[in-house]
Amino acid sequence: MKGTPVSAGIAHGTAYVLACANRTAAPRRTVEAQEVDRELERFSAALARAEKDLLALKATVSEKIGASEAGIFAAQALLLGDPSFRKQVSDLVRDKRVNVEAALAEVIEKFTRAFDEIPDVYLRERAVDIRDIGRRVLAALIEEHTPEALDIPSGAIVVADELLPSVTARLEVGRARAFVTERGGKFSHTSILARSLGTPAVVGIADASTRIKTGDKLIVDGFTGLVFPDPAESVRREYGRLESEIQAHKNALRELVDLPAVTRDGAEVALYANVSKFADTEPALLSNAAGIGLYRTEFGYSIRPSFPTEDEQFEFLNRAAERFHPRKVVYRLLDIGGDKDLPYFPLPAARNPSLSQRGIRLLLQHPEIMKRQLRAFLRISAEHPVSILMPVVGGLEEVRATRAMIREVERELSAEGKPFNPRTPLGAMIEVPAAALIARSLAREVDFFSLGTNDLVQYTLAADREDTAIAPYYQPLHPGVLRLIQVVIDAAAATNRPLTICGDMAGDPLYTEILLGLGIREMSVAPGELLEVKDRVRNISLAEAQELARASLELSSAAEIEALVGPRADRAQPAAATA
Ligand code: PEP
Ligand code: MG
């Protein structure tokens, strides 16, 4: 089977298939006869809860947006009450003795399949509402268990149709040897998580979760995207050899830990780590990161059954700052919306979630959530060097509103006698082309910038970062992207604002030379990629990199630039060969 490799490495093991219907995990299991009634009660309770959520959502949307938009949720609530839908699920639980999550997934699948055959496009698209309902009820069911982990056997290769951050968060991901999914792209959040764990992952294998069965033997090649079900002896032998070579390469990289990240001609590069949770600080420290350049705070929210309190946030975030002291930690404000959601915070259905409420826009609409997080950040700032980063900034207004909220929170903390650093730097993620183009104006309002190329590429090229079908259009080396990066670098230099690049481009040695050539000197990468990037930096001549950047900016297509950049990275000597 061939998919897209999104996290390098080789794994061999036994498949564990997660039935993740409708973007929420629904592990299937058989229930005993005496459990049936309890399952049906759980179903009723989840329906009631989903209905309550929907009606609340309808009221909010009606008040904030308009009655006609709220109509979607009224229609969904009607479908939820449909007796035939309820009966089919209950019958399955009773007759097939499966848990209600699996029964629900099956019925939703059947209903949406029926929609797929409708010729009318508008009606056909109503399948989305059915899926949404399925997801909502599943979320209500699963929330009962959260934060209980979804049990995966140690050393298993997790196979799923799609792994959402909220699902991955509940898996004991450290136990998985590899991930194989049908959907998702290189820059989707689960891929990022896999890379940060150093776990091999392949996405985009159609029907993987039905073609592969739990218990099948698999080899996953996270370099090429190949997955071998039931591998032949010759394949196993070949991969065994490859694994020992990789181990040798990793050992060689370890020798780089204490060496500086400096180019052959003496240009210094600061290498920070991207983390999502406290556990990531371990590999970040082991690879000697200069600090944490991006702390994605979403994970700490998604593993809880409801919004964490200020004290809980303080506790789990402060541990990272303590561990890294005196190195700095950049905390990013909660970035939800788009492809990231929280099971307990349903967002109004959006026709195009990435172009809807997300990041700082969404937070500013929910000051209670934002203030709680800001209070936690600022309390940490009393003892440790921390910075605050705003996700998905689009314009000045959002920065000003955030500053105003920080002032408000500071006044509250002062009144309560709680210490904080009043000069805590505030930075803007540059992920929207408009923000890149007005970076000089933004510089008057912020203390630093962080280039989020995952989203910047998506928004510049109008190519969904999660959509495998559109992956050929998602081109980090598109001249349009490089020019925008150049604009931001120039603006940061002209206004004397520090600039870090924290998107996944930074962690891929393929891009190191051109990024340095364009003027990047600070990078924040997944801990597992840090030494790989350092190795690359140490093999680069800045003068040559600048020449490469100049030549690339003259070109007019991603293909031409790739042809220039790719072979140079390929030729680079891996540490294993030079050590
Ligand atoms: C980015 O968009 O590049 C980024 C770092 O943020 P995230 O991947 O969390 O959206
Ligand atoms: Mg982003």
Side-chain angles (χ1 to χ4, degrees):
M1 298 174 167
K2 174 89 173 82
T4 310
V6 293
S7 178
I10 305 288
H12 58 261
T14 311
Y16 182 76
V17 183
L18 268 181
C20 284
N22 311 313
R23 314 189 84 208
T24 305
R28 190 183 184 96
R29 65 183 177 85
T30 316
V31 298
E32 303 294 330
Q34 65 272 21
E35 276 183 275
V36 166
D37 282 346
R38 206 188 87 73
E39 282 299 286
L40 294 178
E41 273 165 31
R42 290 181 57 227
F43 184 42
S44 297
L47 283 171
R49 162 141 200 199
E51 190 173 357
K52 195 168 137 234
D53 290 351
L54 266 178
L55 294 176
L57 199 56
K58 177 180 158 244
T60 320
V61 174
S62 179
E63 190 188 307
K64 292 214 170 123
I65 308 172
S68 63
E69 285 77 6
I72 303 165
F73 302 108
Q76 288 196 1
L78 265 182
L79 276 168
L80 201 57
D82 178 38
S84 134
F85 161 65
R86 292 178 176 224
K87 181 168 181 315
Q88 290 195 37
V89 176
S90 311
D91 285 354
L92 269 181
V93 172
R94 222 177 272 116
D95 304 340
K96 278 211 198 160
R97 294 276 173 77
V98 290
N99 57 326
V100 59
E101 287 92 339
L104 178 69
E106 199 171 318
V107 172
I108 294 288
E109 170 78 27
K110 195 173 115 195
F111 274 42
T112 49
R113 226 180 293 127
F115 271 80
D116 285 345
E117 279 151 27
I118 299 176
D120 181 283
V121 179
Y122 177 79
L123 282 178
R124 198 164 61 225
E125 288 193 354
R126 292 314 94 213
V128 171
D129 288 321
I130 311 260
R131 272 199 291 276
D132 207 24
I133 289 170
R135 199 177 126 200
R136 188 173 298 281
V137 180
L138 276 173
L141 280 165
I142 284 167
E143 203 172 312
E144 283 179 32
H145 304 307
T146 35
E148 196 180 287
L150 289 170
D151 226 6
I152 44 170
S154 189
I157 293 178
V158 174
V159 180
D161 56 353
E162 180 176 35
L163 280 170
L164 273 196
S166 52
V167 176
T168 327
R170 299 193 347 272
L171 289 172
E172 281 187 57
V173 279
R175 283 182 162 198
R177 229 172 244 174
F179 299 107
V180 176
T181 65
E182 292 171 16
R183 285 194 290 273
K186 182 161 184 197
F187 299 88
S188 62
H189 290 89
T190 302
S191 305
I192 292 172
L193 179 74
R195 286 196 290 278
S196 83
L197 289 163
T199 307
V202 174
V203 304
I205 297 195
D207 303 329
S209 67
T210 42
R211 279 156 70 199
I212 300 172
K213 303 273 175 271
T214 293
D216 284 358
K217 293 272 174 277
L218 292 181
I219 286 181
V220 178
D221 179 342
F223 295 103
T224 60
L226 288 170
V227 173
F228 301 87
D230 194 16
E233 175 54 31
S234 57
V235 174
R236 281 210 300 264
R237 215 175 318 115
E238 187 55 26
Y239 274 99
R241 190 186 55 74
L242 194 56
E243 271 183 286
S244 356
E245 277 178 16
I246 293 167
Q247 200 48 52
H249 177 59
K250 279 195 181 149
N251 293 343
L253 281 180
R254 256 181 233 132
E255 295 175 9
L256 295 177
V257 169
D258 295 319
L259 298 179
V262 52
T263 62
R264 291 198 330 251
D265 42 358
E268 284 175 29
V269 178
L271 291 180
Y272 297 93
N274 291 348
V275 306
S276 303
K277 55 190 175 310
F278 183 67
D280 298 335
T281 61
E282 177 72 18
L285 273 182
L286 285 177
S287 48
N288 205 3
I292 294 175
L294 171 67
Y295 194 127
R296 290 183 167 97
T297 54
E298 298 78 46
F299 190 84
Y301 281 74
S302 63
I303 53 170
R304 290 180 164 71
S306 55
F307 278 108
T309 63
E310 175 192 327
D311 284 343
E312 278 173 322
Q313 295 187 60
F314 175 82
E315 199 267 326
F316 69 74
L317 296 171
N318 188 51
R319 283 162 66 203
E322 234 163 35
R323 192 148 193 222
F324 261 81
H325 193 100
R327 300 181 227 198
K328 75 168 179 188
V329 176
V330 179
Y331 291 113
R332 184 172 73 183
L333 279 157
L334 184 64
D335 183 13
I336 46 172
D339 51 332
K340 292 175 259 197
D341 55 7
L342 297 172
Y344 50 83
F345 188 59
L347 297 169
R351 219 161 64 89
N352 195 333
S354 292
L355 302 182
S356 189
Q357 289 299 352
R358 68 165 293 196
I360 195 75
R361 293 180 193 169
L362 180 69
L363 270 191
L364 285 166
Q365 288 203 328
H366 296 273
E368 68 294 348
I369 301 172
M370 184 162 168
K371 279 172 77 174
R372 215 179 299 154
Q373 199 177 29
L374 284 171
R375 284 178 61 101
F377 292 164
L378 285 171
R379 281 171 55 197
I380 298 169
S381 77
E383 301 273 341
H384 306 290
V386 305
S387 308
I388 300 174
L389 185 56
M390 293 171 281
V392 204
V393 170
L396 281 177
E397 300 77 3
E398 293 148 7
V399 179
R400 288 183 183 146
T402 303
R403 280 260 186 231
M405 200 174 297
I406 291 177
R407 297 285 163 263
E408 198 181 318
V409 166
E410 287 179 345
R411 277 194 298 275
E412 283 173 21
L413 289 172
S414 301
E416 295 163 26
K418 294 193 170 130
F420 60 89
N421 172 11
R423 279 176 295 282
T424 302
L426 175 67
M429 289 280 290
I430 303 295
E431 309 182 86
V432 176
L437 294 169
I438 62 159
R440 277 175 198 248
S441 314
L442 287 173
R444 287 199 286 274
E445 315 271 337
V446 298
D447 304 300
F448 67 99
F449 293 117
S450 191
L451 256 172
T453 48
N454 301 342
D455 279 309
L456 186 64
V457 174
Q458 137 164 298
Y459 290 131
T460 304
L461 299 174
D464 190 335
R465 64 194 264 186
E466 304 279 329
D467 187 345
T468 336
I470 216 72
Y473 291 92
Y474 188 98
Q475 302 167 330
L477 289 179
H478 190 289
V481 173
L482 296 185
R483 282 176 211 175
L484 275 175
I485 294 179
Q486 186 71 73
V487 164
V488 179
I489 291 172
D490 292 346
T495 55
N496 214 6
R497 293 286 179 273
L499 166 70
T500 306
I501 178 166
C502 65
D504 279 50
M505 259 181 104
D508 186 338
L510 169 65
Y511 303 115
T512 314
E513 187 176 20
I514 190 152
L515 290 172
L516 296 190
L518 288 168
I520 292 286
R521 292 292 179 274
E522 296 189 19
M523 301 184 160
S524 193
V525 308
E529 294 168 341
L530 198 141
L531 295 177
E532 205 74 68
V533 173
K534 189 191 273 189
D535 186 33
R536 185 76 188 105
V537 167
R538 293 174 56 85
N539 278 294
I540 285 170
S541 134
L542 183 64
E544 283 175 22
Q546 285 165 337
E547 191 42 50
L548 173 70
R550 241 189 320 271
S552 299
L553 286 171
E554 301 274 308
L555 299 174
S556 36
S557 75
E560 287 167 343
I561 301 176
E562 277 158 21
L564 207 59
V565 169
R568 298 178 59 86
D570 283 346
R571 266 204 314 274
Q573 298 275 308
T578 51

